[in-house]
Amino acid sequence: MSAAESPAVTPVSARLPVFPWDRLEPYKATAAAHLDGIVDLSVGTPVDPVPELIRAALVGAADTPGYPTVWGTPELRDALTGWCGRRLGARDLAHRNVQPVVGSKELVAWLPTQLGLGPGDRVAYPRLAYPTYEVGARLCGAEPVVYDDPTALDPAGLKLLWLNSPSNPTGRVLDQEELTRIVAWARRHGVLLFSDECYLELGWEADPVSVLHPEVCGGSYEGIVAVHSLSKRSNLAGYRAAFVAGDAEVLGELLRIRKHGGMMTPAPVQAATVAALGDDAHVTAQRARYAARRTALRGALEAHGFRIEHSEASLYLWATRDEPCWDTVAHLAALGVLVAPGDFYGEAGARFVRVALTATDERIEAAVERLG
């Protein structure tokens, strides 16, 4: 069969939205032209050093020529269950209740596919949300569905429900009562619930609670899985270190699939994760850095005429001047400050921008001066 006679194959990328960050490039160029350089508060990538004890663990495990396991070392699984018990209040977690993943974005994007979802199935996520929830649904051909209150959804055909608390982009936190109600609803209707809790350790005006807390899940992990990342808490975005914890049957199925797919966290990263989860001091120090940056940026934005909504947790300020978000992006770019337009996260964000706290102290000071 010649190339001309080959059956047409629709590219998988045709199912996906346009990659949003490409639209920001002209505004990035404008901000970069500022005499004192750009202050990039758009993407939210960590800029502070990786703590020394984590780097030492990585280097110490560098001589590992063999293949790592998808499930991780016993030491890693001990670290995961121990941290979930200590930090989340989860009880009686065994190794079968935890699993490392190659960064949380990989998990979010490919989870619906690995769960066997496809056309006719529905995947729900918040109306304002991290775009990869939608991408994961579209990759497998499932129907993406947005919600304000998940318990108002029609459960027919709903196979996967995403929660995100603290929220990206808004910083909103679901309290214990809300989480308990949603978990009960999902179980009643047989809907698998995944809770993205990657910003849980960055609560400012609220104390975020995990779905794995016994007061939320009733001491059972049936039908629920929590997703956690070390990218922000430990400055490990470059390491791709994350994990899931919860329903052993769900994680067992994922483990079997991921073994076939070769989705292995590199052995040095596994060792680094053990070190990171065993130390709270570096997390406290990093929180203090972000708290100071948050206070400075929030005050400057409010003095400049912005209103901040939610933002009680996470690494972002959800800000508005009550105008179209791209007008705000252009206004700030002219000052040399780059932020993310709110409509990247859904139509409901069309009059907001997301301002990241992930810049050096010097760049945050520059932004505050420019907003003054």
Side-chain angles (χ1 to χ4, degrees):
M1 180 181 289
S2 69
E5 297 170 323
S6 299
V9 177
T10 303
V12 174
S13 61
R15 305 175 192 167
L16 307 180
V18 175
F19 188 64
W21 294 97
D22 293 342
R23 296 170 56 199
L24 203 56
E25 285 302 314
Y27 302 92
K28 185 175 184 178
T30 298
H34 191 279
L35 289 176
D36 186 36
I38 189 173
V39 178
D40 192 342
L41 307 178
S42 61
V43 177
T45 187
V47 297
D48 298 304
V50 173
E52 177 57 36
L53 85 161
I54 300 175
R55 283 185 276 166
L58 184 84
V59 171
D63 187 16
T64 50
Y67 289 111
T69 66
V70 173
W71 200 16
T73 62
E75 292 79 12
L76 175 58
R77 283 176 260 141
D78 282 342
L80 299 180
T81 56
W83 183 85
C84 288
R86 187 177 77 254
R87 183 62 185 86
L88 307 181
R91 297 175 183 166
D92 301 320
L93 280 177
H95 283 193
R96 60 198 297 266
N97 296 111
V98 295
Q99 189 172 142
V101 296
V102 192
S104 59
K105 184 169 185 175
E106 170 263 304
L107 184 278
V108 173
W110 294 105
L111 177 66
T113 298
Q114 291 174 10
L115 292 173
L117 306 190
D121 297 323
R122 299 161 71 224
V123 175
Y125 51 88
R127 187 172 302 280
L128 280 167
Y130 182 47
T132 311
Y133 304 132
E134 177 186 357
V135 167
R138 293 191 181 281
L139 279 171
C140 72
E143 178 188 357
V145 179
V146 299
Y147 66 77
D148 295 306
D149 176 356
T151 66
L153 291 168
D154 179 356
L158 183 59
K159 297 298 178 66
L160 175 61
L161 171 63
W162 278 107
L163 299 185
N164 180 207
S165 176
S167 163
N168 174 15
T170 69
R172 182 189 174 199
V173 173
L174 299 176
D175 63 27
Q176 181 175 302
E177 183 178 346
E178 289 178 283
L179 289 173
T180 303
R181 176 176 61 86
I182 295 168
V183 167
W185 180 88
R187 284 174 169 167
R188 187 161 60 249
H189 294 287
V191 177
L192 178 60
L193 186 155
F194 266 66
S195 179
D196 181 347
E197 302 174 352
C198 289
Y199 295 93
L200 183 137
E201 294 206 275
L202 295 166
W204 312 114
E205 298 162 10
D207 187 13
V209 179
S210 172
V211 293
L212 302 184
H213 192 283
E215 294 297 323
V216 173
C217 68
S220 166
Y221 304 119
E222 179 186 357
I224 59 171
V225 177
V227 181
H228 284 271
S229 168
L230 283 76
S231 292
K232 307 304 194 294
R233 74 184 291 279
S234 300
N235 300 330
L236 297 188
Y239 284 46
R240 311 314 301 135
F243 64 94
V244 288
D247 190 315
E249 289 192 16
V250 173
L251 297 192
E253 174 65 8
L254 289 179
L255 181 60
R256 287 186 285 273
I257 294 165
R258 294 171 69 85
K259 283 179 178 179
H260 283 290
M263 294 178 172
M264 300 173 283
T265 302
V269 174
Q270 292 188 30
T273 300
V274 172
L277 292 179
D279 178 71
D280 294 331
H282 77 277
V283 180
T284 300
Q286 189 60 45
R287 275 181 54 87
R289 294 186 191 104
Y290 285 136
R293 294 166 187 169
R294 180 179 183 273
T295 297
L297 267 180
R298 180 166 192 154
L301 287 166
E302 290 176 333
H304 196 77
F306 282 87
R307 185 177 73 255
I308 308 299
E309 292 195 1
H310 288 301
S311 307
E312 57 259 34
S314 83
L315 281 183
Y316 312 104
L317 294 170
W318 189 236
T320 182
R321 297 205 309 169
D322 295 309
E323 66 183 4
C325 62
W326 287 97
D327 291 352
T328 306
V329 169
H331 169 75
L332 291 174
L335 299 177
V337 178
L338 188 68
V339 298
D343 65 3
F344 277 11
Y345 308 95
E347 293 179 4
R351 298 178 75 83
F352 286 80
V353 293
R354 194 195 73 170
V355 184
L357 309 178
T358 49
T360 64
D361 292 343
E362 184 273 331
R363 288 290 84 188
I364 294 293
E365 290 172 7
V368 169
E369 183 178 342
R370 296 173 195 184
L371 290 166

